[in-house]
Amino acid sequence: MHDNELVVKLQLENGDTLDCIVISIFDVDGNNYIALMPDKTDEILLYRYTESEDDQVTLENIDSNFEFNRALEVFDGLMEDIDGEEGAQDDL
């Protein structure tokens, strides 16, 4: 992990913790989502993301296939936009 990356610790159901890099927090149809990458993997985890008035963050599993696919579609588009911008900068 790099010093400038935002890292969160996920508490797993079995009591273990998993360090994850925050890839993006984004909005889809009025809901917020967070994309996380567990340390030392290429896997991406998507969760519904809410933040309370007292800055308490809650991550919820996305149970609906439709909702998950919609969030994944938007996330993929964000990543394509970022890759396109980096490619354009490489051409300079």
Side-chain angles (χ1 to χ4, degrees), residues 32-69:
N32 289 317
Y33 297 90
I34 188 168
L36 304 173
M37 183 177 1
D39 188 26
K40 301 177 184 164
T41 72
D42 291 333
E43 181 181 11
I44 300 293
L45 306 174
L46 289 178
Y47 292 95
R48 193 175 310 111
Y49 171 93
T50 56
E51 191 170 339
S52 66
E53 290 180 15
D54 60 352
D55 296 328
Q56 193 69 21
V57 171
T58 302
L59 303 183
E60 299 174 28
N61 289 326
I62 304 169
D63 296 326
S64 159
N65 285 338
F66 175 80
E67 181 183 3
F68 180 83
N69 289 333

Side-chain angles (χ1 to χ4, degrees), residues 2-91:
H2 297 89
D3 291 337
N4 60 345
E5 293 173 328
L6 181 58
V7 176
V8 297
K9 288 186 180 292
L10 286 182
Q11 182 75 36
L12 304 177
E13 290 178 358
N14 66 4
D16 292 343
T17 59
L18 182 64
D19 289 340
C20 297
I21 299 166
V22 176
I23 303 299
S24 181
I25 297 172
F26 56 99
D27 177 79
V28 180
D29 303 329
N31 291 312
N32 289 317
Y33 297 90
I34 188 168
L36 304 173
M37 183 177 1
D39 188 26
K40 301 177 184 164
T41 72
D42 291 333
E43 181 181 11
I44 300 293
L45 306 174
L46 289 178
Y47 292 95
R48 193 175 310 111
Y49 171 93
T50 56
E51 191 170 339
S52 66
E53 290 180 15
D54 60 352
D55 296 328
Q56 193 69 21
V57 171
T58 302
L59 303 183
E60 299 174 28
N61 289 326
I62 304 169
D63 296 326
S64 159
N65 285 338
F66 175 80
E67 181 183 3
F68 180 83
N69 289 333
R70 180 73 178 116
L72 183 59
E73 177 184 326
V74 171
F75 173 73
D76 284 345
L78 292 171
M79 294 299 98
E80 287 176 11
D81 288 348
I82 290 170
D83 287 343
E85 290 174 11
E86 289 175 356
Q89 290 176 359
D90 292 343
D91 294 337

